[in-house]
Amino acid sequence: MTATSAAAAAGATVHGYPRQGPNRELKKAVEGYWKGRVTAAGLQQTAKDLRAANWRQLAETGIHEVPTGDFSYYDHMLDSSVMVGAVPERHRAAVAADTLAGYFAMARGTQDVAPLEMTKWFDTNYHYLVPELGPDTVFAADATKQVTELKEALALGLAARPVLVGPVTYLLLAKPAPGVAADFEPLSLLERLLPVYAELLADLRAAGAAWVQLDEPALVQDRTPQELAAAERAHRALGGLTDRPKLLVASYFDRLGDALPVLAKAPVDGLAVDFTGAAAANLDALAAVGGLPGKRLVAGVVNGRNIWIDDLEKSLTTLGTLLGLAGRVDVSASCSLLHVPLDAQAEGDIDPEVLRWLSFARQKTAEIATLAKGLAQGTDAIGAELAANRAALASRTGSALTHDPAVRARAAAVTEAETHRSPSYAERTSAQRAQLRLPLLPTTTIGSFPQTTELRTARADLRAGRIDPDAYEERIRTEIRDVLAFQEKAGIDVLVHGEPERNDMVQYFAEQLTGYLATRHGWVQSYGTRYVRPPILAGDLSRPEPMTVRWARYARSLTERPVKGMLTGPVTMLAWSFVRDDQPLGDTARQVALALRDEVGDLEAAGTSVIQVDEPALRETLPLRAADREAYLAWATEAFRLTTAGVRPDTQIHTHMCYAEFGDIVQAIDDLDADVISLEAARSHMQVAHELAGHGYPREAGPGVYDIHSPRVPGAEEATALLRKGLEAIPPERLWVNPDCGLKTRGWPETRASLENLVTAARTIRAELPDSTS
């Protein structure tokens, strides 16, 4: 096919779309179902309506082929486990009795049955539920969800492409089931799984699928020759089937490296490739392997993970080059649009000039359609769109919002000494113990307490003018008093004020820092029904005034016990925001760190002896390729130390991380030079404690004993057993007792019971230790 005919055939598509609906209808329906206020049929109808609305909007925008199967009640990896019959033994009876209730039990657990482990989806802030597999796993195809949603889209008269997590990625992201040897390799089950995928593909073809997309994002990570060989076998086997739709293998988030020639040579009908950011290297790599002659290339030229408008002319240049490398080139986002909010035009509070710079899911689909039109019909057909795009890009470049000379001068003047704490941990720990006088296995929580309906209502009433600021602040003071009183009564050693004044751990700070923009409707799914509104970091950043000191001082006035000052660290402030892409991330991190350093100093001056700087995103932002990690970890750990290194030796610095695999960043955790770290560990059965010990981590640590992402209440015996596992790796003088994460999403009844059990467990273990006091 010539370049001209390829251009004429160009189409527009996307890998996936936000699930929640314009007003988070899915969240409300799912939570209503959990509480018994919405029937299963009602939830299913809401989901069906949302899917139809999404597909219609995509088609009306100019998307020629819509994705199906990407919609999920909770998580697409959990959907994949159901699709291939990989339901853990402990959940099979519940799934057999009630498919929907059993599905949510796998996600959330029940009082008697633990949920699946949850971790980050590559380097995003989305969380997936980890498949549990073993040598005895028996797979079985269940195409019900995929076939149903495909038929819904086809009934609307739309061209539709089912999207499945590919077999190699599914296995590479799985873990050994409980009781299975830790060295078991789920990828060893590939030959057992491939016939199941063959059956699924046949079912989808029979249901009317012309194309099916197999997502293989795990192939953008560093892969061994054995793993690449498995990818080759898998796609050769599936491509060689006769009873199948056409196959489009998709990968995204980074460059494919050695996996690209494997996929290019596979007997599949097309590839979907990311060409944004670091993945721009895929362009030259694709040319080096001879392209995809006679095959379809879905070119991900619009960034599916940020919210900045695309440089349309730059993308058209890339697309023009790609025309000579494939039989057909279609235009798409780099990945699913799940990772961005729905519609920038809903943000009426943002300056219209700045709004021109923003592109959420609906705007990105319009950009994709524009690029496809330009590719097919020439640039004259999109002249007006190109002119508007050039003007918006120029507006952003020249805006005073993006450049503050004072901020840049301060960041440039940072010295090496400012990024290192003195004296060393070994010297300052005695000063901290003398100051705090805590028992062995001190108990604490991570920061937030339940954000109740009353708190959310008070916040909404303040915004709407139904109450005045004085009334709102009295509500916050009351909540802080209640939270502290409960902790004292429960016997917790290091208290928190509960963060009732905070809407979100990033947004709260972003609203008080220059350079940030807040949204009203910019919701993005983090996991299940947990949605966040990442703020937008558009310009140079500084702190006009203290952000947390007033409430910290109030909390300290109510108790004799230490109360932690609570801050969100610089890397997490970036990772959980939509960050400017016009300067290196390390430069932006230094600006955030300097603002937080000022806050740390003010907290210490106000008498706060324990200050926690949370960095749950340190691991999730780790580059997917090992070659890129050293540079990232250098600026990331420096930013944390710049934030915290100015305090006195007797001020104890804590940090917190959760829901990621920590084994490959233990050295970076050490390099943070925090005095205490708390980490998620309950679902992984204290795995991280042994990883810290294996590294020789010398500081104090609190591997979590209470999984806060499940409504179940862990008994005191369960928490005690986890602590005993923790003590196998961490000596009692360095072991803390805490939940996995903050308690914002939990209700008060389960929070009270779980924390009381946590304290009981700590006291039980203390009583077993020599020379301890409870």
Side-chain angles (χ1 to χ4, degrees):
M1 180 181 287
T2 66
T4 301
S5 59
T13 189
V14 294
H15 297 319
Y17 205 65
R19 302 159 177 164
Q20 68 266 26
N23 295 302
R24 291 183 292 160
E25 291 88 349
L26 182 62
K27 170 186 172 69
K28 295 168 186 174
V30 169
E31 292 180 350
Y33 170 77
W34 293 343
K35 295 174 181 176
R37 297 199 297 258
V38 175
T39 64
L43 171 58
Q44 290 161 350
Q45 186 62 51
T46 295
K48 182 178 180 180
D49 292 345
L50 287 172
R51 290 193 293 268
N54 284 348
W55 293 327
R56 289 193 182 99
Q57 187 272 320
L58 288 170
E60 290 166 2
T61 303
I63 299 300
H64 301 117
E65 181 186 56
V66 302
T68 66
D70 61 300
F71 186 93
S72 179
Y73 289 120
Y74 202 96
D75 167 50
H76 56 270
M77 278 293 285
L78 178 59
D79 297 342
S80 299
S81 292
V82 173
M83 180 182 74
V84 302
V87 176
E89 176 66 34
R90 65 186 182 279
H91 287 289
R92 287 179 189 168
V95 171
D98 185 324
T99 302
L100 190 59
Y103 171 89
F104 286 124
M106 286 191 284
R108 307 173 70 230
T110 66
Q111 185 54 44
D112 300 319
V113 182
L116 295 174
E117 184 179 338
M118 186 164 64
T119 196
K120 302 284 184 170
W121 177 250
F122 297 93
D123 58 347
T124 76
N125 190 34
Y126 179 82
H127 302 65
Y128 74 93
L129 289 156
V130 182
E132 297 177 356
L133 306 176
D136 298 330
T137 297
V138 176
F139 296 113
D142 181 356
T144 304
K145 176 183 184 296
Q146 288 285 351
V147 167
T148 297
E149 293 178 15
L150 171 64
K151 288 183 174 180
E152 288 173 7
L154 294 176
L156 296 174
L158 303 174
R161 181 184 73 254
V163 178
L164 284 63
V165 174
V168 177
T169 290
Y170 179 79
L171 294 175
L172 287 173
L173 297 186
K175 64 173 292 183
V180 172
D183 61 354
F184 172 75
E185 295 287 349
L187 192 59
S188 66
L189 301 176
L190 180 63
E191 274 63 36
R192 197 183 302 178
L193 181 60
L194 289 176
V196 173
Y197 270 80
E199 186 177 341
L200 293 166
L201 292 173
D203 289 344
L204 287 167
R205 182 188 185 208
W211 285 84
V212 167
Q213 177 173 320
L214 298 176
D215 279 4
E216 295 285 11
L219 297 181
V220 304
Q221 297 173 298
D222 297 315
R223 290 297 165 200
T224 65
Q226 293 78 16
E227 290 167 340
L228 292 172
E232 189 277 331
R233 293 197 311 276
H235 297 104
R236 173 164 42 84
L238 296 178
L241 297 170
T242 55
D243 186 11
R244 66 165 177 85
K246 293 182 178 180
L247 293 182
L248 178 73
V249 178
S251 199
Y252 37 80
F253 296 148
D254 211 318
R255 56 200 183 275
L256 274 159
D258 292 339
L260 183 55
V262 172
L263 296 180
K265 294 173 185 176
V268 298
D269 306 281
L271 298 184
V273 180
D274 183 354
F275 293 101
T276 66
N282 285 328
L283 178 59
D284 289 341
L286 188 61
V289 300
L292 302 173
K295 293 185 178 182
R296 179 185 185 188
L297 173 63
V298 174
V301 293
V302 173
N303 195 312
R305 293 180 57 179
N306 73 22
I307 47 71
W308 305 108
I309 56 170
D310 187 58
D311 185 333
L312 296 180
E313 290 180 325
K314 181 179 178 182
S315 292
L316 282 170
T317 298
T318 299
L319 291 166
T321 302
L322 292 171
L323 284 178
L325 297 177
R328 171 191 173 111
V329 176
D330 290 337
V331 185
S332 183
S334 59
C335 61
S336 172
L337 297 177
L338 171 72
H339 306 290
V340 296
L342 186 59
D343 187 5
Q345 291 304 312
E347 302 303 330
D349 294 342
I350 294 179
D351 182 337
E353 181 66 19
V354 176
L355 200 61
R356 300 169 62 197
W357 311 343
L358 305 183
S359 179
F360 294 179
R362 288 188 177 175
Q363 288 71 43
K364 288 183 185 294
T365 58
E367 290 175 334
I368 292 164
T370 295
L371 289 167
K373 182 178 179 182
L375 193 61
Q377 302 177 27
T379 55
D380 288 348
I382 58 169
E385 290 91 338
L386 290 175
N389 181 251
R390 281 193 297 270
L393 291 170
S395 165
R396 183 180 172 208
T397 300
S399 172
L401 175 65
T402 61
H403 294 85
D404 183 328
V407 171
R408 291 176 176 251
R410 186 184 180 196
V414 169
T415 66
E416 177 72 13
E418 290 177 287
T419 66
H420 292 281
R421 194 169 176 196
S422 181
S424 69
Y425 168 76
E427 296 175 86
R428 64 183 185 255
T429 184
S430 58
Q432 293 166 15
R433 288 175 179 170
Q435 163 91 333
L436 297 172
R437 294 188 296 178
L438 299 172
L440 286 176
L441 279 65
T443 54
T444 190
T445 65
I446 303 306
S448 62
F449 265 66
Q451 286 274 323
T452 62
T453 300
E454 292 77 14
L455 280 174
R456 292 193 295 271
T457 299
R459 198 171 291 126
D461 287 345
L462 177 66
R463 287 196 304 268
R466 291 186 290 268
I467 61 175
D468 61 26
D470 289 343
Y472 173 73
E473 294 210 350
E474 182 52 39
R475 178 71 189 85
I476 298 301
R477 282 192 289 270
T478 298
E479 186 70 17
I480 291 172
R481 289 195 297 270
D482 291 347
V483 166
L484 290 171
F486 162 72
Q487 292 173 87
E488 287 193 316
K489 182 178 179 181
I492 292 174
D493 300 304
V494 177
L495 313 186
V496 297
H497 78 291
E499 304 175 13
E501 78 285 5
R502 304 185 190 185
N503 46 11
D504 176 83
M505 66 180 292
V506 172
Q507 185 180 352
Y508 176 77
F509 294 99
E511 290 174 346
Q512 301 183 72
L513 295 167
T514 66
Y516 265 108
L517 308 172
T519 68
R520 282 189 177 271
H521 306 285
W523 297 102
V524 177
Q525 187 180 20
S526 179
Y527 64 87
T529 61
R530 168 75 169 141
Y531 289 83
V532 294
R533 280 184 298 162
I536 298 168
L537 209 176
D540 287 340
L541 181 144
S542 62
R543 184 197 72 145
E545 60 185 13
M547 300 178 287
T548 65
V549 174
R550 181 165 62 97
W551 291 118
R553 184 180 288 117
Y554 175 70
R556 282 193 63 251
S557 73
L558 300 174
T559 180
E560 295 299 317
R561 298 185 190 183
V563 182
K564 289 193 281 191
M566 301 297 307
L567 303 175
T568 301
V571 175
T572 301
M573 287 295 296
L574 299 188
W576 294 359
S577 302
F578 291 114
V579 180
R580 60 189 305 178
D581 58 357
D582 58 347
Q583 69 179 19
L585 272 176
D587 293 355
T588 307
R590 179 170 284 196
Q591 292 182 5
V592 179
L594 286 168
L596 293 173
R597 183 184 179 97
D598 293 342
E599 188 72 13
V600 169
D602 286 342
L603 281 168
E604 184 182 57
T608 305
S609 57
V610 181
I611 300 173
Q612 181 169 308
V613 181
D614 288 342
E615 282 292 22
L618 182 71
R619 172 59 180 83
E620 81 179 45
T621 316
L622 188 73
L624 298 177
R625 292 282 183 179
D628 303 328
R629 292 176 179 175
E630 182 178 356
Y632 159 73
L633 290 171
W635 66 252
T637 55
E638 180 194 84
F640 183 91
R641 294 194 307 272
L642 181 58
T643 299
T644 59
V647 297
R648 298 188 309 267
D650 61 350
T651 296
Q652 191 172 72
I653 296 293
H654 288 225
T655 191
H656 168 66
M657 299 180 191
C658 58
Y659 292 92
E661 301 295 332
F662 301 110
D664 48 4
I665 63 162
V666 176
Q667 181 58 55
I669 292 174
D670 199 348
D671 292 342
L672 296 177
D673 198 22
D675 301 304
V676 182
I677 184 169
S678 54
L679 301 123
E680 176 273 327
R683 288 196 188 187
S684 60
H685 309 288
M686 288 285 162
Q687 175 182 330
V688 70
H690 293 276
E691 291 169 345
L692 291 174
H695 173 78
Y697 185 74
R699 298 172 183 80
E700 299 175 38
V705 298
Y706 164 25
D707 172 20
I708 67 88
H709 290 289
S710 170
R712 65 184 297 272
V713 175
E717 298 82 2
E718 179 180 334
T720 302
L722 282 172
L723 285 176
R724 289 197 174 100
K725 280 192 173 184
L727 284 167
E728 294 172 3
I730 301 171
E733 64 272 15
R734 292 197 282 112
L735 185 67
W736 284 64
V737 183
N738 46 260
D740 276 345
C741 200
L743 301 165
K744 176 180 178 179
T745 61
R746 297 271 54 90
W748 263 108
E750 70 231 45
T751 295
R752 288 191 185 94
S754 298
L755 292 181
E756 287 166 353
N757 289 343
L758 179 151
V759 172
T760 297
R763 288 174 172 168
T764 298
I765 298 294
R766 285 176 198 159
E768 298 171 359
L769 296 172
D771 301 323
S772 68
T773 59
S774 58

